[in-house]
Amino acid sequence: MKLGCKLLLAGFCLFTVNMHAQNPSNLEELAQKYSDYFELNREAVFLHLNKTAIVPGESIWFSAYVYSPMFQVPSVSTTNLHVNLYDALGQLQEAKTLFLKNGQASGYFNVDSLPSGKYMIKASTKYMENFREDLSFSQSFTILGEEMDSSVPLEYDLQLLPEGGHLVSNVMNTVGVKLINNSGKGTFFTEGQIFNSKNDVVNTFKSNRYGLSKFSFVPTSDEKYYVVLKPINGNQLRQEIPVSSSIGISLTTNTMVPGAVIFSIKTNPETFESLKGKTFYMALHKDGAINIVGFIIPEETLEANISISKTGLAPGITTMTVFDDKFQPILERMIFNNDGIKRKMVDAKFLRLKADSLAFGLSSKDSLGLHSLSISVLPSGTESYSPKNNIFSAFYIEPYIRGELENGQYYFSEKVEQRRKDYDLDILLLTQGWTKYSWHNVFNNTPKELFKPEQGFILLGGLNQTKDAEESKVLLIADKTNLFEFVDLQNDASFKLEKLFLIDSSAVSVGLVHKKNQKLSKPAMFLSVLPVKDQNSIILSPNFGKKISQPEATKSPIQNTVPENFISDAVSLGTVIVNAELQDKIDTEREEEDFRGHMYFQRFDMDRLSESMLLTSFLRMHGFRVINGRGVNPNLIIKNIRSNRLGGELSPLLIIDEVEQIDYERIKFMTLADIDKIYINSRGAGYGIDGAGGVIKLKLKSGGNSRYNRETMMTMILQNGFADQKEFYAPKYTSYTNDFFDHYGVIDWFPNLFLDETGHATFQILNTLQPTINVYIEGMTSGGALISETINLKTN
């Protein structure tokens, strides 16, 4: 095993660069530059993956959440979330754009054709490109299979990080310790010791579960010290600590005092002579808000102690920076405040056995309001769910730190004692060094809004000849979206439509309407969709995707090799046989129950209805007033007779193929021949204020809008757009009772669940004969409260 051991002077390089930068000349300018740097609202992304170890034949499913760390609410200005899939070499495998509604979306990647190995999913918005800091989200996952040929020997990297940036002689220093292996994973070690040149033990320290620790000592000038520790599965490591500096300022932070944080800024007599009478400034700052206080280091104690009440700190990470009298940053430390974290609790329990499925209930004592939950259901012995973040760490920690965060969900687990979590999180921040937002950029590179929040897609088009431009307009129809638009042409016969909801790889029909006789004809024209899909590769860690050689004692008893025929078309559940007919029944039941608020919808049997009937006539027969507009308001008007309120009858929410419509024009001439299913929710239950006038849901047949034909319309397949939604399906395993399924199988995935007004919901899963299951819940409310639960449930 190779040892890479180093002392990292956290922030020292940044300090050196800033000496040559354009620093502020006074406090007002410092505060203004900092405020200006955060004037544009940043976005943070979290993807909840259904699992992180995939069996060949499965797909990878995920729900996305986009958040504003500054305002601690969902980010709603952007509708386009770009999610890319990369292989171990950083080569792009697939790019998708998800449609964000209220900061939430869901999607999947079909990875059937990809070989076994390690992959990376990366999610970002175009608006993030306005900033120098990388604010994208990334999560790796593995497709199981044969062991990869490429492997590298196990190595360790021991990092010693003095709090404040450097060691100062003859004062108390705190040093963070981080031991990681060459795959970037923290490595637990047994007791560490600090020795002086006489081999006397100066201090000892212990590792937490993630290979992090800290120790304090008072180094003397010209004395040599070294660290000795032993990884849990490795040989003893010994490394000298560089000699301390006789000139400097040290920082020690105590975050474990109840209700307060104490910062101790210390120096020695040799340094004080150059500091006498000078004022230093301590700034507490987060997301553009900054508070600055001045202080001096007293000659009597050579130590300034500043106590800050936690009640005055923002929730989450706050950064403390010390500036000298010339407003150069010289010390920095991140701290975490749990007070004010917006959290809602959700519980789950087994309800009943229903045929070959199990019913479970969700409940919350809190009022969630508008919200969304994603739920992964896996066997209780799973080894296939190891995300590096949950929604809390993704939004409260990741946007502020430079380094990689490992096991972020641990710091927000309700199963760990709070004081233990607080201590471990403080060590994590100590070993992270300086914040992600460098003062050099704050002082010199204020972001400019070069990219606006993306809202849908832009459709550009034009006629090949300009002679018909003045006398014609263009009709555009996309069956799978709400696109039904008449567009006037510019003088050059071109047109541009913005903020469109377009489905990737779907058909759009284009016709040329002559203004005089309203005749529709097939045009000769071009179409393109912006923005174009990402096609770039990325740079990953050199060891990403490589097998790290582990000692035999640490290898998992379950290997990555997938049993032959583990996934097939027939399913054996011990004595329970699930054949294709039964699976069709299960799929039909799920289709019914997956409709949002399905218990409130009435579904109509289309086989009993006349295909020639206009949809508007059908709605008149089922409680709706339909008015064909005239004069100044030619649009179709629909009112729900049963929704008569003080202000009159209300209009229903219309949803076509899961897309909310902005008006009713698309159904003005639609017949039942175009429609596969009709659902009506007269009360609008489950939709809040949006459903006050009721809800009408339509699922169109493939190739709807049949009144238009190929002779009068040109049809093109869009090369970009939002990823089409697909209903989750669980693979059919040959056995649900072997060890491999217990470790790597999947039971179910619910990308977008919600609780009703009483705080309850139910969900059903296939009975896979597991005595216990794990339920992983992530979610977000419209008020910015976050939800993250890991619940082990009995199935009887």
Side-chain angles (χ1 to χ4, degrees), residues 24-45:
S25 59
N26 54 59
L27 288 181
E28 290 74 17
E29 185 182 358
L30 190 158
Q32 188 61 54
K33 280 182 173 289
Y34 181 79
S35 177
D36 290 345
Y37 195 76
F38 288 90
E39 183 177 0
L40 299 182
N41 180 31
R42 289 160 172 80
E43 297 169 325
V45 179

Side-chain angles (χ1 to χ4, degrees), residues 468-482:
D468 296 325
E470 292 185 5
E471 300 300 325
S472 305
K473 56 184 176 181
V474 172
L475 172 62
L476 292 149
I477 300 174
D479 290 336
K480 298 189 70 172
T481 70
N482 63 341

Side-chain angles (χ1 to χ4, degrees), residues 310-376:
K310 290 181 180 178
T311 59
L313 296 176
I317 288 180
T318 293
T319 304
M320 187 282 290
T321 307
V322 173
F323 296 87
D324 65 14
D325 60 326
K326 294 181 175 59
F327 305 104
Q328 298 182 63
I330 57 175
L331 300 170
E332 190 160 277
R333 176 71 147 84
M334 289 181 285
I335 57 175
F336 195 90
N337 179 31
N338 277 295
D339 296 342
I341 296 291
K342 298 161 82 171
R343 183 167 197 159
K344 298 288 187 180
M345 310 300 294
V346 171
D347 197 10
K349 65 178 181 179
F350 172 75
L351 294 179
R352 60 189 176 274
L353 173 65
K354 181 182 177 182
D356 294 309
S357 62
L358 303 173
F360 294 86
L362 291 175
S363 62
S364 177
K365 296 179 181 179
D366 300 322
S367 176
L368 301 185
L370 184 64
H371 65 282
S372 178
L373 302 176
S374 50
I375 301 178
S376 179

Side-chain angles (χ1 to χ4, degrees), residues 228-482:
V228 174
L229 57 81
K230 185 177 184 299
I232 187 64
N233 290 300
N235 298 323
Q236 187 179 80
L237 307 178
R238 182 183 186 278
Q239 177 66 28
E240 287 190 1
I241 301 175
V243 176
S244 58
S245 172
S246 59
I247 302 295
I249 297 173
S250 73
L251 170 68
T252 300
T253 306
N254 186 352
T255 63
M256 304 304 290
V257 179
V261 179
I262 298 176
F263 300 101
S264 296
I265 296 97
K266 301 180 278 293
T267 191
N268 54 29
E270 294 84 353
T271 305
F272 183 78
E273 290 303 314
S274 64
L275 306 180
K276 188 180 297 185
K278 292 184 178 180
T279 300
F280 292 84
Y281 301 95
M282 187 183 79
L284 293 167
H285 50 94
K286 177 184 174 69
D287 297 325
I290 186 167
N291 292 311
I292 306 173
V293 296
F295 68 93
I296 61 171
I297 300 178
E299 186 173 6
E300 299 79 16
T301 60
L302 301 180
E303 180 177 346
N305 292 306
I306 303 174
S307 179
I308 302 296
S309 172
K310 290 181 180 178
T311 59
L313 296 176
I317 288 180
T318 293
T319 304
M320 187 282 290
T321 307
V322 173
F323 296 87
D324 65 14
D325 60 326
K326 294 181 175 59
F327 305 104
Q328 298 182 63
I330 57 175
L331 300 170
E332 190 160 277
R333 176 71 147 84
M334 289 181 285
I335 57 175
F336 195 90
N337 179 31
N338 277 295
D339 296 342
I341 296 291
K342 298 161 82 171
R343 183 167 197 159
K344 298 288 187 180
M345 310 300 294
V346 171
D347 197 10
K349 65 178 181 179
F350 172 75
L351 294 179
R352 60 189 176 274
L353 173 65
K354 181 182 177 182
D356 294 309
S357 62
L358 303 173
F360 294 86
L362 291 175
S363 62
S364 177
K365 296 179 181 179
D366 300 322
S367 176
L368 301 185
L370 184 64
H371 65 282
S372 178
L373 302 176
S374 50
I375 301 178
S376 179
V377 185
L378 302 173
S380 59
T382 188
E383 294 183 11
S384 65
Y385 189 85
S386 300
K388 68 175 183 177
N389 280 299
N390 67 358
I391 198 168
F392 283 95
S393 60
F395 293 159
Y396 279 102
I397 297 179
E398 281 278 12
Y400 305 95
I401 62 174
R402 291 174 180 268
E404 285 290 322
L405 176 61
E406 182 184 359
N407 300 297
Q409 63 271 23
Y410 162 77
Y411 303 103
F412 299 92
S413 171
E414 291 295 306
K415 299 177 181 178
V416 182
E417 190 265 330
Q418 188 63 49
R419 188 170 178 83
R420 176 79 256 174
K421 289 187 296 186
D422 291 344
Y423 179 78
D424 287 342
L425 181 51
D426 189 60
I427 296 178
L428 171 73
L429 296 181
L430 168 62
T431 56
Q432 285 289 328
W434 289 53
T435 181
K436 178 180 290 186
Y437 302 96
S438 80
W439 287 102
H440 173 81
N441 287 334
V442 170
F443 294 156
N444 299 277
N445 298 304
T446 300
K448 294 179 175 60
E449 194 175 45
L450 302 177
F451 305 99
K452 297 289 184 181
E454 284 185 328
Q455 296 183 337
F457 289 86
I458 299 171
L459 190 61
L460 297 176
L463 301 178
N464 293 340
Q465 296 182 357
T466 61
K467 63 179 181 179
D468 296 325
E470 292 185 5
E471 300 300 325
S472 305
K473 56 184 176 181
V474 172
L475 172 62
L476 292 149
I477 300 174
D479 290 336
K480 298 189 70 172
T481 70
N482 63 341

